[in-house]
Amino acid sequence: MTARLIRRTTATRSRTAVVGALAVAGALLLSGCGDQTKNDKKDSGSAADSAPLADKLPQAIRDAGVIKVGSDIAYAPVEFKDKSGKTVGIDPDLADAMGKQLGVRFEFENGTFDTLLTGLRSKRYDIAMSAMTDTKDRQEGVDSDTGKKVGEGVDFVDYFTAGVSIYTRKGDDQSIKTWDDLCGKKVVVQRGTVSHDLAKEQAEKCPKGETLSIEAFDNDQQAQTRLRAGGADAGSSDFPVAAYAVKTSGGGKDFELVGEQVEAAPYGIAVAKSNTQLRDALKAALDAVIEDGSYGKVIAKWGVEAGAVDEATINGGK
């Protein structure tokens, strides 16, 4: 299954997905390389003594042996729970590889996507890693809906490139190919994502009498359930997530992708602006796993090679 990426004129704001022709064959069905939840105690403590980049971390994190990660763990294949309850996916696998460089364990804590930056600001988490798009609004702490300052912004360490897709019930695409085709219909999305933003922008463009109805949920699985049950005409999410749902839901019988991907943008790990030492340590760790091939293995494992980057970037979002 492939899809060609096109560029919309709207500004990218939130979570987005893989750019280009992305293969979603058997690799998407593989499990992650291990649980990254707090029950997994490996790579902590004395591991920092031998890790090549341990000295780049803030001393408090080195002493703790843990980086606390805020994440919406319901976004397969980026991060999700497998059948045994373990946290798996692209982000946990990359975190595991980075942890070996830094000598610490990345401890994923579940939260709804639209509260992750609040948790980061309150120091509940050290970082947020959850298929989060690096945007200027987030860098500057601006609410994308109101344009108002809502708090201190964050820095991003960008590690992936990505776009957004529309999907429908299989065999019932209702001639939907573009966002304009959603006018007069109902779409389900995850709250606080780029899909949500694009849907709201599209609703403002729809002609009178062809209202676009939007139903937003705390997570993408809830949106999929609503669409599967016939409660909406279409859904929208990051391309790898939509593609994974198409491949796996109902054994591939529930959904189909329609139209083309839009809104290419980087995924970034969010870090408090005051924590530049941690930010720079994460960048160094990402560059190291890209260089040693660990990054490429993770990306290939999940079938998302088209979104790979050659180096980590700080605040590359527009």
Side-chain angles (χ1 to χ4, degrees), residues 6-223:
I6 60 174
R7 182 71 187 174
R8 287 170 58 92
T9 57
T10 53
T12 305
R13 295 191 180 94
S14 305
R15 198 171 189 161
T16 76
V18 178
V19 62
L22 178 67
V24 290
L28 283 177
L29 298 176
L30 296 175
S31 296
C33 68
D35 187 13
Q36 304 301 320
T37 62
K38 61 185 67 181
N39 293 325
D40 185 352
K41 300 300 182 182
K42 64 183 178 181
D43 295 326
S44 60
S46 61
D49 296 335
S50 59
L53 299 177
D55 60 352
K56 291 186 175 294
L57 285 169
Q59 190 61 48
I61 288 180
R62 289 189 68 185
D63 291 344
V66 171
I67 293 177
K68 293 182 179 179
V69 185
S71 188
D72 175 14
I73 309 175
Y75 214 61
V78 186
E79 52 262 320
F80 64 106
K81 299 283 188 178
D82 68 9
K83 291 181 179 180
S84 69
K86 292 182 178 180
T87 301
V88 297
I90 299 166
D91 282 356
D93 281 3
L94 289 177
D96 182 68
M98 293 165 62
K100 291 177 172 62
Q101 292 289 329
L102 295 168
V104 294
R105 176 170 48 88
F106 283 66
E107 184 178 277
F108 278 67
E109 299 184 14
N110 197 24
T112 56
F113 184 75
D114 58 354
T115 65
L116 296 181
L117 292 186
T118 301
L120 182 61
R121 293 187 189 105
S122 67
K123 299 185 178 180
R124 177 179 177 181
Y125 314 124
D126 297 311
I127 65 175
M129 188 176 187
S130 191
M132 183 176 290
T133 301
D134 174 2
T135 69
K136 287 297 184 184
D137 281 349
R138 285 185 173 136
Q139 292 172 24
E140 297 170 359
V142 172
D143 185 300
S144 60
D145 286 332
T146 65
K148 295 181 179 179
K149 186 84 170 175
V150 292
E152 183 183 26
V154 297
D155 284 335
F156 284 97
V157 182
D158 299 338
Y159 63 98
F160 197 68
T161 302
V164 174
S165 288
I166 300 170
Y167 61 100
T168 66
R169 290 184 300 279
K170 194 163 188 175
D172 187 25
D173 65 13
Q174 302 182 62
S175 300
I176 297 171
K177 299 297 180 186
T178 70
W179 283 83
D180 289 338
D181 296 331
L182 292 174
C183 293
K185 294 180 172 61
K186 183 175 183 179
V187 65
V188 288
V189 297
Q190 181 177 358
R191 186 176 296 107
T193 63
V194 71
S195 293
H196 195 187
D197 289 339
L198 291 176
K200 288 184 286 188
E201 291 171 359
Q202 184 61 48
E204 295 178 357
K205 300 175 184 177
C206 289
K208 188 174 182 180
E210 295 185 31
T211 302
L212 169 56
S213 177
I214 304 166
E215 189 169 6
F217 294 86
D218 286 340
N219 63 61
D220 203 70
Q221 293 174 349
Q222 294 170 345

Side-chain angles (χ1 to χ4, degrees), residues 223-291:
Q224 291 175 23
T225 298
R226 182 69 162 167
L227 178 61
R228 190 184 299 111
D233 301 298
S236 177
S237 61
D238 288 6
F239 180 76
V241 177
Y244 189 86
V246 167
K247 183 71 177 179
T248 61
S249 182
K253 298 179 180 179
D254 288 343
F255 304 125
E256 63 179 280
L257 291 172
V258 297
E260 301 170 319
Q261 295 180 66
V262 299
E263 296 294 350
Y267 281 174
I269 301 171
V271 189
K273 282 193 176 294
S274 59
N275 206 345
T276 55
Q277 186 177 358
L278 176 57
R279 179 200 67 192
D280 293 345
L282 293 171
K283 183 184 185 306
L286 273 167
D287 282 333
V289 299
I290 290 170
E291 179 67 24

